[in-house]
Each structure stands twice: as C-alpha cells, then as structure tokens.
Amino acid sequence: MDDAIAAQVRSIFDKANFLQHLGIQLTATGEGACETTLTVEDRHLQQHGFVHAGVIATMADHTAGGAARAASGERDVITIEFKINFLRPASARKLTCRGKVLRAGKTVIVAESEVFAINDSESKLIAKLTETLAVLD
C-alpha cells in the first residue's frame, strides 16, 4: 500500500479524540482494508459486565471508515449510515476488528467490518457492521 495513503488512514485515527479516549488502536491498513484492536478495561463494560454496545459500534464504524479512507485516494470520508448486528455478548479482554471496502465509488463507498472477542487463542465473531460513507471534496 502507498505510504501516503497509510499515513492518511493513520491521521484519521490520530485526530479522533474519542478513539484515543476509548483506547482503540490502528494495527494495519491495506488496499481498501483496515484493522484495529482494543484492550478491554472496566470502563468499557456495561452493567452486566459485557463490553458496551457503544464501544463495539464505535470500533466497527471507525475501522470500516479506515478501510474506506484507504480506498478513497486523496479524499476523506464520513459515515452516512450504518447497520450493526450484535451476534453475542463480549466478555473478552481484547477485541479486534477487520474492515474492508465492498464498493468504492466516486462519491459513495460501502464498507463492512467484523469485531472479534479474543480469549486466549480463541476468537469469536461478536458483531458485524455494514455502512455507507460519503466521499468528501
């Protein structure tokens, strides 16, 4: 992947203060792809001890957005809408997320991401997101 595009994807993560607050970290970028990780802390949990849906949705959204940014050339992107399915509760101490572009148009990009809970060597799919992003001028 072009180093300039990787730097632009890194920039959207570095400039997103909410991601810094949550601790979501960019781990890889590629051609229309992005990966992130989160070490789960008590502050990420909801009342039943599972990772809060808002944390998972934020991770899934921004990871899909990173994949879209990697496919948009010199232009930035912003989420128009998304749908997320929570498949099972997450009680892991680590989450990973993989995003990829499904279709990159000139003005609209469709991307998806999957969030996995990691316990020891076991990885379970906990959420799947599909989103539409606008390509900004």
Side-chain angles (χ1 to χ4, degrees):
M1 169 172 224
D2 183 305
D3 287 342
I5 299 296
Q8 291 168 354
V9 174
R10 163 80 47 212
S11 177
I12 69 169
F13 278 81
D14 291 346
K15 291 179 181 177
N17 293 332
F18 188 54
L19 294 184
Q20 305 306 313
H21 174 72
L22 290 175
I24 296 169
Q25 299 199 353
L26 177 66
T27 55
T29 60
E31 192 71 32
C34 182
E35 293 184 12
T36 58
T37 189
L38 172 68
T39 300
V40 176
E41 300 174 9
D42 288 344
R43 66 189 172 118
H44 298 121
L45 306 179
Q46 44 85 296
Q47 69 276 14
H48 301 291
F50 300 116
V51 179
H52 195 284
V55 173
I56 296 167
T58 299
M59 184 178 200
D61 171 44
H62 215 79
T63 304
R69 182 62 187 90
S72 67
E74 296 297 316
R75 296 165 52 188
D76 208 351
V77 296
I78 191 165
T79 303
I80 297 172
E81 61 84 29
F82 68 73
K83 173 169 186 341
I84 189 165
N85 289 306
F86 297 101
L87 305 173
R88 60 178 49 93
S91 59
R93 297 315 284 175
K94 182 178 179 183
L95 301 180
T96 61
C97 185
R98 286 185 231 122
K100 69 178 181 178
V101 168
L102 301 176
R103 169 103 168 53
K106 291 179 184 177
T107 58
V108 172
I109 296 175
V110 177
E112 69 178 9
S113 62
E114 295 180 326
V115 182
F116 298 86
I118 310 297
N119 283 311
D120 300 319
S121 61
E122 186 178 40
S123 174
K124 287 188 179 181
L125 179 64
I126 60 164
K128 181 154 180 116
L129 171 139
T130 304
E131 75 179 10
T132 306
L133 302 103
V135 179
L136 301 176
D137 288 325

